[in-house]
Amino acid sequence: MTRQMTGAEMVIQALIDQGVDTIFGYPGGAVLPIFDELFQQEEVRHILVRHEQGAGHAAEGYARSTGKVGVALATSGPGATNMVTALTDALLDSIPMVCITGQVPTTLIGTDAFQEADTVGITRPCTKHNWLVRRIEDLPAILHEAFRIATTGRPGPVLVDIPKNIQFQMGTYDNCKDKALTQYHPAVKGSDAAIREAVELMAAAKKPILYTGGGVINSGPKAVALLRDLVKMTGFPITSTLMGLGAYPASGKNWLGMLGMHGTYEANLAMHDCDVMVCIGARFDDRITGRIDAFSPKSKKIHIDIDPSSINKNVVVDLPIVGDVGSVLEDIIAAWNARKPVQDKAAHAAWWKQIDGWRAKKCLAYRPSAEAIMPQYAIERLHALTAGRDTYITTEVGQHQMWAAQYFGFEEPNRFMTSGGLGTMGYGLPAAIGTQLAHPGALVIDIAGDASIQMNIQELSTAVQHNAPVKAFILNNQYMGMVRQWQQLLHGNRLSHSYVDSQPDFVRLAEAYGAVGIRCSKPADLDDAIEEMIRIDRPVLFDCHVVSLANCFPMIPSGKAHNEMLLGTDVSDEEIETAIGAAGKVLV
Amino acid sequence: MMIVAGQSQSAYFLEEELPSTERSHTLSVLVDNEPGVLARVVGLFSGRGYNIESLTVSEIEHSSHMSRITIVTTGRPPVISQIMHQLGRLVPVHKVVNLTWAGDALERELALVKVSGRGEIRDEALRLAQAFNARIVDATLDSYVFEITGAPADIDRFVGLMKDCGLVELARTGLAALARGKAGI
Ligand SMILES: Cc1cc2nc3c(=O)[nH]c(=O)nc-3n(C[C@H](O)[C@H](O)[C@H](O)COP(=O)(O)OP(=O)(O)OC[C@H]3O[C@@H](n4cnc5c(N)ncnc54)[C@H](O)[C@@H]3O)c2cc1C
Ligand SMILES: Cc1ncc(C[n+]2csc(CCOP(=O)(O)OP(=O)(O)O)c2C)c(N)n1
């Protein structure tokens, strides 16, 4: 059914037709017509943030925790440029997001008009696709295509830039939700021949491993269920990237923990020694592979990915399968059941025995302390005291992020929202707000660092305004801990500008914003303080004072192989300082 | 090797045996002729550190708003496949074909070459132009502009010779390329 309406009305109508209930934004001259339409309706809720970057990350948190698309709205010029970090973040982490920006009127484009920026030019490399709408006739189809492109294939952010005169102009709106504007139709189904060959390789494996990633979560609940079936069916050990945590439960018996730079000893050594690696929706990131030429040298590698450009990008694989994780796993399981392979039980038992030997290293052990709170202990307690609750975790970036990944066992997907690819400090608090608004009754905690939390602290005000009772659990070590750790490893422990001087009083800061502040510095008080935080039905800043100089282990130093890990309990300061060779120093 | 938007690529397709040395490749890319599409392609090359040796664009089908971009780039086969897949991911890209892998493609370029001089040099320029099948498109008493069409290497040779015959300036169109035989891309 078509109807006459203005461009601004079309924006709201398209959101409604796409089933969007919440958007995150900030007004300005070039989007006033859209804000006026928002004011006159009740179907779409607008969450007013304090900085456009916050709107972007909130939309990401909303998207990752629901599996739906996140929507952000900003004005032209500075509104759009403030969005760039969040768009780049969503691109690297494959988060579906639609961003709508206002633009100066078409007649002024190119004149350096007030708050004019070349938004499509600036965001071209940080979106999956973007459009500048030049004619009202094109607007409805572009809006709907934006949703289709953001959510299909490898998900990602898209941006629609709408000049102000087009927002005012009348035109014909058509709900073209299911019509494609472009020829973009990514393949979903994997090749049958490749799937049969994968089953052969997996059936004959003596030392197999499943290496899973964010693509499983992108694919959705069906893929997660199938992955769990696959583990049961094959008995294979399983590890995951940071982005894939929760797809397989951390309490599951085949779970080896996260792999990669700060992954577990058992996961990394199993990756190094395996004979068949099945990579499912992960992208052989440099945090995973370490030294490429020493990466899992003896294995046959199968790679399932919906994006053909992910295949053979960093690591050459033996058997690529281009398709959606859910569809491909379904076919693999069916082919396996039809073939009824006889696995080499003895080989598998020996492989598990080897893995148990690595597990016995207890690589996540740390020296406990009765006087000061160890950061690892704080996460363990947070996990224990929130178990059984409907809990969602977001993080900032740094050591606390890695400790969250290592010590908070995730049992379900879409419960861990973190900035993996871009590593954006300041992601966690707005992402927690987006998550909380999608899950009103849930407990949403941003595991934060004292430096990161200050990057988007203004969003505390958003949380207060919109009754989003998020908790920022700050592991306050007074340092940019991750930077300090690298300076110790690489730069002779010269701690250049990594000490966070003149910290605010987080308790009073919380109060100034109308939130609640809690401080804790003794292990003996920690449980009570965490329980108090959980009980409070308002936003909380929890200032958890932890030891200053703890390092995040295990760690594969840059430029080293998986079997050259540093472990926490048995490494001396001297070993830390000489762990990275000259070649590794240039790596990040 | 050909990448078609939306088509499944089987393992065997991606695994094709390819020569392993670095050389130049001619890619033909069919795209929607929409604003910014060239910037997307060029930005992809600069952003990911690939080089462009030659690039031509023009609309080939007005009714369907399609353009053909012909790009010459250099790399080892894995890099070239990665470039092709990265191009294939762009939303307005319909098809990416590697004409070099498809075999012995037709590659032509047009150049306008201005020379000036009198006497012996001028006669020599004219003789060489005839030998290379270049046409005279402008002449004055002390200059010529030649138009030459041919494979880029032939044009390089002609231009090289013109340097000794009073070369003033040169304009080249970049490459137009098609596969031989009856099939289209
Ligand atoms: C300080 C810091 C330290 C880090 N250390 C580690 C570490 O120790 N270990 C670690 O694992 N990470 C670490 N990371 C994160 C790391 O940088 C990468 O973000 C992460 O490893 C990438 O995860 P992924 O491979 O699962 O890919 P993602 O970025 O999640 O990409 C998903 C892949 O799946 C594909 N895909 C998407 N949807 C589908 C679908 N429906 N079907 C099939 N395929 C699909 C995509 O094409 C893509 O190739 C760290 C990050 C930071 C900031
Ligand atoms: C926006 C941004 N700037 C800089 C960095 C580089 N960086 C990575 S971790 C880190 C320190 C984080 O410190 P903090 O938040 O206190 O966490 P900790 O490592 O101490 O747990 C920095 C500066 C980044 N990731 N993001």
Side-chain angles (χ1 to χ4, degrees):
Chain A
M1 234 225 356
T2 62
R3 260 171 54 207
Q4 292 299 304
M5 58 179 83
T6 65
E9 278 180 275
M10 288 181 190
V11 171
I12 308 301
Q13 192 56 49
L15 294 178
I16 293 169
D17 290 340
Q18 288 286 342
V20 174
D21 52 23
T22 307
I23 68 172
F24 303 88
Y26 205 86
V31 279
L32 285 181
I34 298 174
F35 274 86
D36 197 36
E37 289 305 326
L38 275 170
F39 188 81
Q40 300 178 48
Q41 54 84 49
E42 306 215 308
E43 274 161 282
V44 179
R45 168 173 63 155
H46 177 265
I47 303 300
L48 178 66
V49 296
R50 298 298 181 267
H51 183 298
E52 289 85 354
Q53 185 191 354
H57 294 319
E60 286 187 86
Y62 181 95
R64 189 65 164 190
S65 69
T66 57
K68 297 197 281 189
V69 60
V71 181
L73 174 61
T75 192
S76 67
T81 56
N82 272 350
M83 196 63 83
V84 166
T85 302
L87 290 169
T88 312
D89 193 89
L91 185 72
L92 277 176
D93 285 346
S94 302
I95 308 291
M97 175 170 156
V98 172
C99 177
I100 293 167
T101 49
Q103 181 56 277
V104 301
T106 46
T107 46
L108 292 184
I109 287 177
T111 65
D112 297 328
F114 177 63
Q115 297 199 323
E116 179 182 2
D118 175 9
T119 301
V120 284
I122 291 169
T123 60
R124 205 172 277 129
C126 62
T127 53
K128 186 172 169 187
H129 196 60
N130 63 11
W131 294 264
L132 168 63
V133 182
R134 290 155 198 273
R135 306 184 317 157
I136 185 77
E137 294 87 324
D138 300 336
L139 182 58
I142 289 177
L143 287 167
H144 288 288
E145 185 71 353
F147 279 86
R148 194 177 74 85
I149 289 181
T151 50
T152 52
R154 179 177 184 167
V158 299
L159 180 139
V160 185
D161 197 28
I162 313 178
K164 193 170 178 181
N165 56 329
I166 305 241
Q167 298 172 32
F168 278 124
Q169 222 175 327
M170 287 295 283
T172 311
Y173 176 80
D174 182 9
N175 179 6
C176 40
K177 191 170 169 224
D178 304 312
K179 282 183 222 145
L181 175 66
T182 66
Q183 43 82 45
Y184 179 78
H185 287 287
V188 168
K189 195 170 155 41
S191 124
D192 288 331
I195 283 165
R196 276 196 304 277
E197 196 169 325
V199 168
E200 292 308 317
L201 275 174
M202 289 164 69
K206 294 185 191 317
K207 299 167 153 203
I209 189 161
L210 302 175
Y211 148 42
T212 64
V216 180
I217 294 175
N218 284 136
S219 184
K222 179 180 142 198
V224 170
L226 289 166
L227 177 70
R228 294 174 179 201
D229 291 348
L230 184 76
V231 176
K232 246 188 237 129
M233 190 180 83
T234 58
F236 288 0
I238 175 169
T239 177
S240 164
T241 66
L242 182 73
M243 297 310 291
L245 294 178
Y248 183 79
S251 60
K253 75 175 174 39
N254 294 36
W255 178 240
L256 303 187
M258 181 175 80
L259 81 164
M261 181 175 270
H262 292 292
T264 65
Y265 189 69
E266 50 270 34
N268 285 325
L269 286 199
M271 285 289 280
H272 186 267
D273 282 9
C274 67
D275 69 345
V276 172
M277 173 191 301
V278 191
C279 170
I280 309 176
R283 58 184 172 85
F284 294 93
D285 183 82
D286 54 57
R287 299 296 91 161
I288 302 306
T289 58
R291 231 176 84 195
I292 291 273
D293 59 352
F295 175 69
S296 195
K298 290 163 288 196
S299 62
K300 285 270 183 208
K301 300 175 185 73
I302 302 170
H303 187 183
I304 304 168
D305 202 296
I306 202 158
D307 179 352
S309 78
S310 284
I311 286 167
N312 293 341
K313 179 163 64 183
N314 302 330
V315 168
V316 176
V317 297
D318 302 277
L319 183 65
I321 307 177
V322 176
D324 169 58
V325 170
S327 161
V328 172
L329 288 188
E330 189 168 28
D331 291 349
I332 287 182
I333 290 172
W336 180 284
N337 285 334
R339 167 125 167 12
K340 298 192 182 55
V342 183
Q343 290 176 281
D344 185 341
K345 288 266 158 42
H348 282 215
W351 179 226
W352 275 110
K353 193 156 168 250
Q354 200 176 354
I355 290 173
D356 286 337
W358 292 325
R359 279 174 165 167
K361 270 264 186 191
K362 300 242 172 288
C363 69
L364 292 177
Y366 55 90
R367 295 188 197 111
S369 160
E371 293 87 54
I373 301 177
M374 295 301 288
Q376 301 93 328
Y377 175 76
I379 305 288
E380 282 179 338
R381 294 316 300 155
L382 192 66
H383 181 221
L385 296 170
T386 57
R389 285 176 181 275
D390 185 16
T391 309
Y392 292 81
I393 299 293
T394 70
T395 74
E396 307 288 341
V397 171
Q399 291 179 318
H400 61 275
Q401 176 188 27
M402 292 299 113
W403 285 318
Q406 293 170 332
Y407 296 92
F408 200 103
F410 293 94
E411 298 293 313
E412 295 297 333
N414 306 94
R415 296 279 167 163
F416 183 50
M417 276 56 68
T418 194
S419 170
L422 195 63
T424 311
M425 293 169 70
Y427 165 90
L429 180 58
I433 294 170
T435 302
Q436 183 80 74
L437 290 162
H439 308 277
L443 174 63
V444 182
I445 305 173
D446 169 27
I447 295 178
D450 47 284
S452 294
I453 193 69
Q454 295 186 61
M455 284 240 176
N456 272 322
I457 189 74
Q458 76 286 349
E459 299 308 328
L460 200 51
S461 173
T462 308
V464 172
Q465 176 181 346
H466 297 282
N467 300 318
V470 296
K471 322 289 186 243
F473 188 79
I474 306 168
L475 294 183
N476 187 347
N477 55 10
Q478 309 263 327
Y479 280 96
M480 296 173 197
M482 187 60 93
V483 171
R484 187 203 52 72
Q485 176 169 347
W486 279 62
Q487 288 172 332
Q488 185 181 3
L489 277 156
L490 288 170
H491 298 284
N493 209 27
R494 289 180 297 280
L495 304 185
S496 177
H497 301 274
S498 54
Y499 181 73
V500 185
D501 211 334
S502 312
Q503 271 192 344
D505 177 333
F506 286 112
V507 172
R508 286 168 61 197
L509 184 64
E511 286 161 3
Y513 274 113
V516 178
I518 297 177
R519 180 168 295 124
C520 182
S521 48
K522 295 213 178 61
D525 302 336
L526 186 61
D527 279 17
D528 286 347
I530 290 176
E531 276 173 347
E532 185 193 347
M533 172 186 86
I534 295 171
R535 268 197 310 274
I536 297 171
D537 193 24
R538 284 166 57 197
V540 177
L541 276 190
F542 189 115
D543 184 13
C544 185
H545 282 227
V546 296
V547 299
S548 295
L549 301 177
N551 280 329
C552 186
F553 290 119
M555 177 172 188
I556 305 175
S558 296
K560 295 284 167 108
H562 277 175
N563 53 358
E564 300 174 276
M565 295 193 91
L566 296 177
L567 294 179
T569 41
D570 50 32
V571 62
S572 67
D573 280 351
E574 197 169 295
E575 278 170 295
I576 293 176
E577 284 175 32
T578 54
I580 297 184
K585 281 194 183 175
V586 298
L587 301 171
V588 288
Chain B
M1 176 172 173
M2 182 187 330
I3 291 172
V4 181
Q7 277 185 18
S8 175
Q9 275 110 29
S10 86
Y12 307 98
F13 175 80
L14 287 161
E15 270 190 336
E16 265 175 305
E17 279 295 316
L18 300 163
S20 63
T21 46
E22 176 158 329
R23 59 164 294 182
S24 88
H25 291 256
T26 304
L27 306 181
S28 203
V29 190
L30 284 189
V31 299
D32 289 323
N33 181 16
E34 62 177 31
V37 64
L38 184 59
R40 279 180 215 287
V41 170
V42 172
L44 188 158
F45 275 76
S46 63
R48 292 188 184 264
Y50 309 136
N51 74 316
I52 298 181
E53 283 170 17
S54 156
L55 178 134
T56 50
V57 206
S58 58
E59 191 171 66
I60 51 165
E61 231 183 279
H62 188 65
S63 57
S64 58
H65 297 290
M66 295 272 284
S67 289
R68 186 179 194 123
I69 303 181
T70 306
I71 305 171
V72 183
T73 181
T74 319
R76 290 186 310 107
V79 175
I80 299 294
S81 324
Q82 182 61 207
I83 293 176
M84 293 178 66
H85 286 301
Q86 291 293 349
L87 285 167
R89 281 171 98 193
L90 298 179
V91 170
V93 168
H94 290 241
K95 266 185 203 174
V96 185
V97 179
N98 188 323
L99 292 174
T100 306
W101 281 337
D104 190 30
L106 291 166
E107 303 196 336
R108 292 292 180 270
E109 205 181 343
L110 183 144
L112 295 175
V113 185
K114 183 182 285 184
V115 293
S116 86
R118 283 177 179 249
E120 182 55 27
I121 272 192
R122 182 172 166 83
D123 297 345
E124 187 59 34
L126 193 61
R127 267 197 299 279
L128 285 166
Q130 276 161 351
F132 276 80
N133 275 332
R135 289 201 308 135
I136 299 171
V137 288
D138 180 59
T140 65
L141 286 179
D142 48 11
S143 73
Y144 285 123
V145 177
F146 298 119
E147 174 194 312
I148 175 171
T149 322
D154 294 337
I155 296 183
D156 288 346
R157 277 200 299 137
F158 180 67
V159 172
L161 291 167
M162 286 302 116
K163 282 189 181 142
D164 291 331
C165 299
L167 179 70
V168 176
E169 63 177 342
L170 166 73
R172 295 174 74 148
T173 55
L175 203 63
L178 286 183
R180 289 175 193 270
K182 71 173 179 189
I185 72 170

